[in-house]
Amino acid sequence: MKNFKRFLCLLMIVALMMPLSACGKKKKVEVQPKEEEKHAAVSDMYKEKWLLAPSIKADAIYSLPHAVFNKVTNHYDITYGDSYVIKKGDEYGLIDSNGALVFEPQFASIETCTCFDGYIATTKDGDYYFTTYHINPQNQKMWSYQHTCSGFTGYAYRWNKGTSSVMTTYKGNDNQSTTGIEPLIPEAMEITDGSELLEKYTLVNGGKPVGSQDYTGAGIFTGGLAAFCLNDKWGYVDSTGKTVIPFEFEAVDGYNALNSKTDTPYEVSEGYITVLRNGKFGIYSAEGDMVIPCIYSCLTTVHNGRAFASQDGKTWGVLLVDEKISNGIASNDK
């Protein structure tokens, strides 16, 4: 009888200890590092690699997007030209990814538009008269002619919440008409109820919205990602609506690939995205990895595996972002 009582006591002790033991062996939940921690980690390891050390004097060097409507996909392909705009004082020129001037700063302005590929450069003669030149994709200055691009001209896609369908319009010469064209790849669209725009955006893929989230701003789906704004911060999502780059970033002042009404971040270029965070620029890969921490006051988009960078906005150099892309492309000896 005594042995039986001892046995019962042992069972009770074991039973009481089992939950404690289970708690002790509970699987740890992995916590993803915050963006600040990622930034700090990359900053500690980051070492600048320069194709051309900071030596170019300029008031600004920046990227201009080329938005060309692709009639195969019914989508605007966003790319960045072989040259960047360089500004000195009130004059603008073009500079290539080696740091060599294509056109000395001599123009009153340089822009792009959706009318054609290339650049539109204007020269000022006196106080009022402007001559306009078309600089083609080969950086050749073509004949002069009058051209005024007052804003976006072309196709605009919207998600009609009332009919659960894509509504496509064409805007040109201040006239707007409805068309039957639909995009064949994922598209960021402004939401309408059929009668008015709701100032909200969604990603549409295969004729229906991806996910249930509505956003307050949107860029152009490019390189497998689209930029969206959520709670006043920008991030990037893929074609399934998955967040690839977190909503931690800001729009670039004065930038919008289609000259729309709101500023957006840059689009993907050569598999890289130049981002702006807390007033500083850095670069991510399209897979969501931080490549260059946000430490530069000025940083362009990537072309030929390179980007112009400056810490003071006055002296610029050419950073090597992707040496594999950059290799084999001629560089000058400046």
Side-chain angles (χ1 to χ4, degrees):
M1 189 69 178
K2 289 181 179 179
N3 290 337
F4 181 70
K5 288 182 178 180
R6 287 177 183 172
F7 177 71
L8 287 177
C9 289
L10 285 171
L11 282 178
M12 291 176 67
I13 292 170
V14 170
L16 288 170
M17 290 181 67
M18 282 180 66
L20 296 174
S21 177
C23 289
K25 295 180 180 179
K26 188 176 181 181
K27 186 178 180 180
K28 292 182 179 179
V29 177
E30 292 186 8
V31 179
Q32 294 296 323
K34 294 181 179 179
E35 205 61 26
E36 289 85 355
E37 295 170 353
K38 289 183 182 179
H39 184 273
V42 174
S43 296
D44 290 341
M45 297 184 293
Y46 175 62
K47 293 182 179 180
E48 293 174 325
K49 294 181 180 180
W50 296 98
L51 176 74
L52 179 66
S55 56
I56 301 170
K57 300 297 183 181
D59 295 312
I61 296 178
Y62 57 89
S63 315
L64 280 178
H66 293 299
V68 178
F69 189 74
N70 188 326
K71 294 183 179 179
V72 175
T73 61
N74 295 334
H75 174 82
Y76 279 95
D77 294 335
I78 307 299
T79 59
Y80 299 91
D82 289 337
S83 299
Y84 299 84
V85 177
I86 179 170
K87 179 177 183 287
K88 290 185 178 182
D90 294 328
E91 295 183 311
Y92 299 80
L94 293 175
I95 189 169
D96 69 18
S97 62
N98 296 322
L101 285 171
V102 177
F103 288 103
E104 291 274 357
Q106 59 188 279
F107 300 105
S109 67
I110 297 179
E111 302 292 342
T112 59
C113 75
T114 55
C115 302
F116 50 75
D117 202 1
Y119 300 95
I120 301 169
T122 60
T123 57
K124 189 175 181 181
D125 183 9
D127 293 330
Y128 303 105
Y129 181 75
F130 286 84
T131 302
T132 306
Y133 295 93
H134 174 204
I135 299 174
N136 68 18
Q138 289 73 46
N139 289 323
Q140 297 170 320
K141 189 168 74 171
M142 310 301 285
W143 63 91
S144 62
Y145 60 97
Q146 295 302 315
H147 177 81
T148 302
C149 187
S150 57
F152 174 72
T153 300
Y155 295 96
Y157 296 111
R158 284 148 185 170
W159 177 251
N160 190 326
K161 214 168 186 177
T163 60
S164 296
S165 62
V166 175
M167 186 173 76
T168 309
T169 59
Y170 182 84
K171 179 184 176 184
N173 300 322
D174 295 325
N175 295 317
Q176 190 163 300
S177 58
T178 303
T179 77
I181 292 177
E182 291 195 14
L184 302 181
I185 66 173
E187 192 83 47
M189 300 185 189
E190 190 166 6
I191 300 172
T192 176
D193 62 4
S195 59
E196 62 179 350
L197 297 175
L198 303 181
E199 296 186 355
K200 292 183 179 180
Y201 300 80
T202 187
L203 181 67
V204 176
N205 189 4
K208 60 182 180 180
V210 177
S212 58
Q213 181 66 61
D214 290 344
Y215 303 94
T216 55
I220 309 299
F221 189 87
T222 303
L225 298 178
F228 284 101
C229 186
L230 185 65
N231 299 323
D232 296 324
K233 291 293 183 181
W234 289 83
Y236 292 79
V237 305
D238 64 15
S239 60
T240 68
K242 176 186 175 184
T243 299
V244 176
I245 297 177
F247 289 83
E248 297 277 346
F249 301 94
E250 297 129 42
V252 178
D253 187 32
Y255 179 81
N256 191 295
L258 295 181
N259 284 330
S260 189
K261 56 189 176 183
T262 57
D263 294 340
T264 71
Y266 290 125
E267 277 76 32
V268 177
S269 179
E270 295 185 359
Y272 294 97
I273 310 162
T274 300
V275 296
L276 177 63
R277 185 173 183 271
N278 297 330
K280 297 286 186 179
F281 288 91
I283 293 176
Y284 273 69
S285 72
E287 287 74 38
D289 298 318
M290 188 186 299
V291 177
I292 295 177
C294 296
I295 59 173
Y296 293 98
S297 297
C298 305
L299 187 62
T300 65
T301 58
V302 177
H303 182 66
N304 289 339
R306 310 160 186 180
F308 282 93
S310 176
Q311 286 290 15
D312 60 5
K314 297 294 181 182
T315 305
W316 300 74
V318 181
L319 273 177
L320 280 172
V321 180
D322 191 321
E323 292 185 75
K324 290 181 180 179
I325 296 177
S326 183
N327 284 344
I329 299 172
S331 62
N332 59 27
D333 296 322
K334 286 171 45 177

